[in-house]
Amino acid sequence: MRRIFSGIQPTGNLHLGNYLGAIQNWVKLQDDFECIYCVVDLHAITVPQDPVELTKSTREVAASVLAAGINPETSILFNQSQVPQHAELAWIFNCVARLGWLNRMTQFKEKAGKNRENATVGLYAYPTLMAADILAYKATHVPVGDDQKQHLELTRDIAQAFNAMYGEEFFPLPEPQILGKATRVMSLRDGNAKMSKSDPSEYSRITMTDDADAIMTKIKKAKTDPEPLPSEADGLEGRPEARNLVSIYAALAECSVDDVLAEYGGQGFGVFKPALAEVAIAKLAPITDQMNVYMQDPQQIDAILKDGAERAHAIAQPIMGDIRRLTGFLGASLG
Ligand code: TRP
């Protein structure tokens, strides 16, 4: 049996990188697998959050995921903090994982920056909570981008260590699951930097709330080089901006880079950019519209998340009961 689990941070203003890198893949996986998708608000507070903003971002991310095509009846969609087993299991994993393992995590080093002494303990323990997310459901497959592969490996190490400690093949060792080629979307201003919500330039990213005009302007202003597009993928070598735009096109149109170059090879960006903008608008406009419909009805979003949380809880609670018994904890949890 396969069970998919994945999480997304409740950061306001999702961008094209979030959509093409994660959400589009989540939508496809629903056809073939049991899917549990989680808005990770517990992870969000590993760095300072404004409470009002956090609530809003949680709804916003849920709205985007729903608008993109996650079906809340067949898949489970909820926010992490509503299911107490995540935090409960994370504590147990804090007592399985070793300092040495966490010290190797590159995301902590990046996020903590120079002032490591001031980082929260939660930021340091972020990966053990992520392991708990996945293993509280005994998920077998996890769609993750490159930047989360290390955390998934740690999850496997924790599962293995737990199994060895308690002498049972209790947890499956979850594997990465990517359908097709995962798209790493880069900044529109710099083909070597990841598209990111923290880039100071608005022109570096297309967000899920951009309207058609904004999308057109941003793509037209995107950094490129003076050469026409090559006819084959090899010709994109050493041209990070051109490569980025072509792979965005391919991901949006759900075709290959070679297909795109077969059509546009030899053309300049004066032709390619408007074509790309058209594809982006055609794909994103209905999602943005639907997202706005959801955002006008926050009670509906809350009801969907609550229903998802109840179904998630129904899976995690008995698994947590088994974990408690294996660990030797007396009595039942009230959570
Ligand atoms: N850490 C992931 C990210 O930043 C989000 C996440 C939290 C996640 N828990 C997860 C992803 C469990 C996959 C599985 O993108």
Side-chain angles (χ1 to χ4, degrees):
M1 198 207 57
R2 272 178 191 228
R3 176 177 283 158
I4 301 270
F5 184 99
S6 198
I8 189 164
Q9 289 262 3
T11 48
N13 245 342
L14 291 186
H15 54 67
L16 192 63
N18 303 120
Y19 178 69
L20 294 176
I23 302 172
Q24 183 170 261
N25 195 38
W26 285 17
V27 173
K28 287 188 205 145
L29 289 166
Q30 296 183 108
D31 296 337
D32 300 316
F33 309 113
E34 176 190 9
C35 294
I36 306 173
Y37 295 132
C38 183
V39 183
V40 293
D41 49 7
L42 296 174
H43 277 111
I45 63 163
T46 56
V47 295
Q49 297 287 338
D50 176 83
V52 175
E53 283 299 311
L54 180 60
T55 309
K56 187 169 162 248
S57 302
T58 303
R59 287 198 186 106
E60 229 169 69
V61 167
S64 328
V65 167
L66 290 164
I70 294 299
N71 178 344
E73 296 188 346
T74 50
S75 298
I76 292 179
L77 176 68
F78 71 109
N79 59 306
Q80 193 183 24
S81 62
Q82 290 204 61
V83 179
Q85 281 72 21
H86 292 249
E88 192 178 352
L89 184 54
W91 177 257
I92 294 178
F93 287 168
N94 281 341
C95 304
V96 174
R98 305 303 153 118
L99 287 178
W101 304 357
L102 288 176
N103 284 340
R104 286 197 286 275
M105 297 295 114
T106 56
Q107 180 176 288
F108 173 75
K109 291 178 201 165
E110 277 161 28
K111 285 200 181 178
K114 288 209 174 67
N115 196 357
R116 199 175 290 189
E117 293 288 305
N118 200 39
T120 66
V121 175
L123 187 66
Y124 187 70
Y126 183 113
T128 60
L129 177 58
M130 182 163 156
D133 296 342
I134 298 164
L135 295 172
Y137 302 90
K138 294 191 174 179
T140 56
H141 290 78
V142 181
V144 282
D146 279 343
D147 63 330
Q148 296 297 315
K149 287 234 169 91
Q150 196 184 32
H151 290 163
L152 189 57
E153 268 156 36
L154 185 88
T155 301
R156 294 165 59 90
D157 290 343
I158 290 175
Q160 220 156 11
F162 183 97
N163 290 349
M165 266 164 93
Y166 297 104
E168 230 186 83
E169 289 306 298
F170 184 76
F171 289 119
L173 302 186
E175 286 176 24
Q177 167 80 53
I178 305 291
L179 265 194
K181 211 167 75 49
T183 310
R184 195 145 181 261
V185 180
M186 311 306 280
S187 159
L188 299 180
R189 310 297 307 166
D190 174 359
N192 291 311
K194 228 177 125 172
M195 186 175 283
S196 153
K197 70 164 170 86
S198 49
D199 192 312
S201 169
E202 293 263 338
Y203 289 100
S204 69
R205 61 186 164 264
I206 292 172
T207 73
M208 304 293 282
T209 49
D210 280 344
D211 61 16
D213 285 348
I215 294 174
M216 187 61 86
T217 312
K218 287 179 179 181
I219 291 178
K220 283 195 175 156
K221 278 189 193 267
K223 185 177 170 200
T224 46
D225 54 43
E227 302 294 317
L229 285 175
S231 331
E232 274 162 38
D234 285 353
L236 293 169
E237 209 59 52
R239 300 177 64 187
E241 284 81 19
R243 176 194 294 281
N244 187 35
L245 295 186
V246 171
S247 54
I248 291 175
Y249 189 115
L252 285 167
E254 300 186 45
C255 65
S256 70
V257 163
D258 287 322
D259 293 336
V260 180
L261 294 177
E263 192 171 346
Y264 291 100
Q267 303 271 22
F269 288 99
V271 171
F272 183 67
K273 280 180 167 180
L276 172 60
E278 289 295 315
V279 180
I281 292 164
K283 186 83 178 227
L284 298 178
I287 300 177
T288 307
D289 290 348
Q290 189 56 40
M291 188 179 154
N292 290 332
V293 172
Y294 275 113
M295 284 310 281
Q296 271 150 31
D297 190 358
Q299 284 175 351
Q300 190 195 356
I301 300 176
D302 297 4
I304 289 171
L305 293 176
K306 178 166 186 277
D307 174 68
E310 283 166 358
R311 285 151 60 211
H313 180 254
I315 299 172
Q317 195 194 33
I319 294 175
M320 197 62 219
D322 292 340
I323 296 168
R324 292 178 59 86
R325 272 189 292 284
L326 282 174
T327 310
F329 287 162
L330 181 81
S333 164
L334 297 176

